[in-house]
Amino acid sequence: MSETLEDAKNEGLLVEKHVEYVKSLDKKHDEIEYWMTEHLRVSGVYWGAVAVHLLGRGDALDSNGIVDYVLSCQNGDGGFGGHVGHDSHILYTMSAVQLLVMYDALDRVDAQKVVGYVAGLQDKASGEVSGDSWGEKDTRFAYISLAILSFFDSVDAVDVGGVVGYVQRSMNYDGGFGSGPGGESHAAQVFTCLAALAIAGRLDIVDRDRLSGWLAERQLKSGGLNGRPQKLEDVCYSWWVLSSLKILDRVHWIDRSRLCGFILSAQDTDAGGIADRPGDVADVYHTCFGIAGLSLAGYSDYPLVDVDPVYCMPVSVIERAGLRKWIDRLPESWKQA
């Protein structure tokens, strides 16, 4: 590892630089990347907001401006687009709702319109959930539907048993989950399926030890984690893998100290932000999930805010929303272990 990368690790978590990095993102109107990412701006705001909240700096961003912007992205069908004037999609509806919950402004939307939009994306015959009106189906959307509805205390607006059945059909011999039945196991899909089952109270269908072993095998010599066998390590899997292990209560199955070192080595020591791996360009997505990974790993050199492994939001926010009850629904055999 080069001297620069060693410096990034040895300097510890660059809190102020990361806060300033996130704050700078909406000021780069003269850069092509700003306009190329317009389609997912709501999610970008969510990633940045989570990052500063976990750093204990939730007041660093303009909360009123964020809420007003999010509300301006809602469409007549009740869903939210990735930016003003963009078509609704369940991905951006999730980010929008998460932001409104974080900034205590969920009462600013018509709950029934959002619930109706999400419920309308489920195929009642198969239990599968589409991302938008064009019909793409994915286990990500199954999780997101339950997560959004849980914020409105309306999970029963969809056929929960159908969602669970779809997730179960997407489970593989190695204990992992794919994007749908027959899909290759992937750490990000594992998270979405576990989180969906946690909200539904059906983690009993998971092969806990087999899946935990598969997830633990994602750690490479660098300390970083990959998403599936034979792939490179990537900071974002610090979240996808570790959140899954947290739900399974198996975080201790990986070397958390080495993982923290890998994340820290991917920091931009000049401008702030965290990249996918050391030496690459930082972005807000990896900044968010790198900091979330540090929180889950119990990084001890800075008092990070605890993150909820099911919702990727501060535990205090999820407690305020009354949604930490997923812990009470863990299988009895897990509680006794």
Side-chain angles (χ1 to χ4, degrees):
M1 187 180 291
S2 71
E3 182 178 347
T4 301
L5 301 184
E6 284 289 358
D7 288 344
K9 181 166 65 174
N10 294 336
E11 286 186 30
L13 185 61
L14 305 174
V15 176
E16 292 306 319
K17 287 188 177 182
H18 295 327
V19 171
E20 291 305 312
Y21 167 75
V22 171
K23 290 172 64 176
S24 74
L25 292 174
D26 198 43
K27 300 175 183 177
K28 300 181 178 181
H29 296 189
D30 58 342
E31 297 184 8
I32 190 171
E33 290 84 358
Y34 181 86
W35 301 105
M36 289 180 66
T37 56
E38 178 184 277
H39 65 286
L40 49 70
R41 186 146 303 145
V42 167
S43 290
V45 175
Y46 158 73
W47 296 326
V50 169
V52 296
H53 273 79
L54 296 183
L55 291 170
R57 294 291 304 281
D59 59 349
L61 303 180
D62 176 7
S63 59
N64 291 329
I66 288 175
V67 169
D68 289 342
Y69 167 68
V70 169
L71 293 174
S72 73
C73 294
Q74 188 173 25
N75 295 311
D77 59 7
F80 291 78
H83 187 53
V84 180
H86 287 231
D87 291 345
S88 297
H89 195 288
I90 200 169
L91 287 171
Y92 308 123
T93 302
M94 174 69 165
S95 295
V97 170
Q98 287 173 300
L99 283 165
L100 294 175
V101 171
M102 275 196 287
Y103 289 108
D104 201 19
L106 194 60
D107 60 352
R108 297 275 301 276
V109 296
D110 183 331
Q112 290 308 307
K113 289 188 70 174
V114 180
V115 169
Y117 169 74
V118 173
L121 293 172
Q122 185 181 34
D123 179 344
K124 296 298 192 294
S126 67
E128 300 172 1
V129 179
S130 299
D132 58 18
S133 59
W134 299 101
E136 178 190 8
K137 296 179 175 64
D138 190 307
T139 48
R140 290 176 299 162
F141 310 146
Y143 155 64
I144 290 172
S145 69
L146 296 185
I148 292 173
L149 294 174
S150 69
F151 286 118
F152 296 99
D153 194 23
S154 298
V155 170
D156 289 339
V158 293
D159 177 1
V160 177
V163 171
V164 171
Y166 171 54
V167 169
Q168 188 167 20
R169 294 195 302 277
S170 303
M171 189 179 346
N172 294 314
Y173 71 92
D174 53 17
F177 295 85
S179 60
E184 178 185 7
S185 293
H186 189 285
Q189 308 295 154
V190 168
F191 160 74
T192 60
C193 290
L194 283 180
L197 294 174
I199 295 171
R202 289 302 316 275
L203 283 166
D204 58 288
I205 70 173
V206 174
D207 187 331
R208 186 188 189 193
D209 286 343
R210 178 173 292 189
L211 177 53
S212 297
W214 186 88
L215 289 165
E217 290 174 351
R218 305 279 61 76
Q219 188 162 39
L220 304 181
K221 291 181 179 179
S222 65
L225 303 163
N226 65 15
R228 51 199 168 116
Q230 306 302 317
K231 296 296 181 179
L232 294 175
E233 60 271 69
D234 187 316
V235 162
C236 71
Y237 294 111
S238 306
W239 166 256
W240 305 119
V241 172
L242 216 52
S243 60
S244 299
L245 287 171
K246 185 71 172 180
I247 293 170
L248 296 166
D249 194 23
R250 292 286 190 267
V251 171
H252 57 286
W253 281 31
I254 67 162
D255 187 330
R256 288 169 284 173
S257 178
R258 288 175 56 224
L259 174 60
C260 288
F262 172 75
I263 297 170
L264 295 175
S265 68
Q267 296 179 111
D268 184 329
T269 57
D270 295 322
I274 301 175
D276 57 347
R277 57 185 62 89
D280 287 350
V281 177
D283 61 74
V284 69
Y285 174 87
H286 290 92
T287 300
C288 169
F289 292 124
I291 294 170
L294 290 172
S295 176
L296 287 172
Y299 178 71
S300 59
D301 291 346
Y302 179 82
L304 289 167
V305 171
D306 290 336
V307 63
D308 185 275
V310 169
Y311 292 95
C312 196
M313 294 162 67
V315 165
S316 59
V317 173
I318 298 305
E319 287 177 338
R320 186 181 72 210
L323 294 177
R324 285 284 280 179
K325 53 194 175 187
W326 66 264
I327 296 175
D328 299 328
R329 301 193 188 109
L330 293 175
E332 287 300 321
S333 59
W334 294 20
K335 298 176 185 178
Q336 297 165 7

